[in-house]
Amino acid sequence: MISQPSRHCTVELQALPSRIGQVRRIVSAQLRYWHLDPLIDQAALGVTELLTNVHRHAEPDKMCTVEIELLLERLMVSVHDHDPRVPVVHEAEPFETCGRGLAMVAAVSESWGVQPQGDAGKVVWFTLCAPSSPLTAPAYPVYGAARAEPYADVAADTGAHAPARSAVAG
C-alpha cells in the first residue's frame, strides 16, 4: 500500500559546465521543497558526477535528461543520454585528477546502476535512502505568507546555450 504519492522532477539540458551547476541548484531547491534537506549534498554530488560524465564522454551530443523521483522512502536520481556506451568504474591512481566519478556515486549512494536503452542511449541512476518521515508542510503556501521562490537562485546563468527546461510535479 502506498502511503504517499510519488514526487517527480525532470530537467532536460545540454551537459555543459554552466548547465551542470544550474541543474545542481535545481535539484537542491527541489529537495528543499520536498523537505529532504538531508539528501541535498549526496544528490548534488551524484548528479554533478553523472552530468560531468555526459559532458566528457557522451556522443553524438551532450543532450540529456535528469530525473529525480521520490517514492515512499527512496529517492532515485537518473541521467539519460544518447550514447549507448556503458560507463564502468575506473580504478584511479592516487595522483590522477579525474576518473573517480562513478566510484564517488557508488560511495555516497545506496545503490547505482546503468540501464542500456539500445539505440536511444542509456540511463545511469543512483538511489538514496530518504528520511522515513519528511517534514510535513502545506502543498501550497498559506494566503499572505511570505516564501522564497524555489528557483530564484537559478536565473543567474545568462550564457548563450540552449535553456534548460524542467517539468516539476508535486
Side-chain angles (χ1 to χ4, degrees):
M1 177 175 191
I2 297 175
S3 61
Q4 292 179 342
S6 171
R7 296 178 184 180
H8 187 258
C9 175
T10 302
V11 180
E12 296 177 24
L13 71 143
Q14 193 174 15
L16 299 173
S18 61
R19 296 295 182 219
I20 294 170
Q22 184 181 33
V23 171
R24 186 174 48 247
R25 291 187 299 273
I26 290 170
V27 168
S28 298
Q30 189 64 51
L31 292 179
R32 265 188 235 99
Y33 181 73
W34 289 344
H35 304 285
L36 294 172
D37 298 51
L39 301 181
I40 291 173
D41 289 342
Q42 294 162 290
L45 173 66
V47 79
T48 299
E49 294 304 325
L50 296 184
L51 289 174
T52 299
N53 282 351
V54 173
H55 172 70
R56 288 185 161 199
H57 305 291
E59 295 175 8
D61 57 39
K62 306 299 180 193
M63 294 304 297
C64 62
T65 302
V66 175
E67 291 188 67
I68 58 174
E69 184 172 19
L70 177 66
L71 183 58
L72 297 179
E73 296 174 3
R74 187 100 40 252
L75 181 74
M76 177 175 269
V77 179
S78 61
V79 175
H80 173 260
D81 68 57
H82 301 121
D83 192 338
R85 295 176 297 162
V86 175
V88 295
V89 176
H90 175 70
E91 296 290 329
E93 294 297 321
F95 296 107
E96 282 186 88
T97 58
C98 61
R100 293 178 176 83
L102 288 177
M104 289 195 308
V105 169
V108 301
S109 66
E110 181 183 51
S111 61
W112 76 278
V114 180
Q115 183 176 14
Q117 304 279 302
D119 291 339
K122 67 182 167 300
V123 176
V124 183
W125 56 268
F126 65 92
T127 62
L128 299 172
C129 198
S132 58
S133 58
L135 299 173
T136 56
Y140 300 98
V142 177
Y143 180 76
R147 75 174 182 97
E149 290 300 315
Y151 301 111
D153 64 336
V154 177
D157 186 7
T158 58
H161 311 294
R165 297 176 297 174
S166 66
V168 178

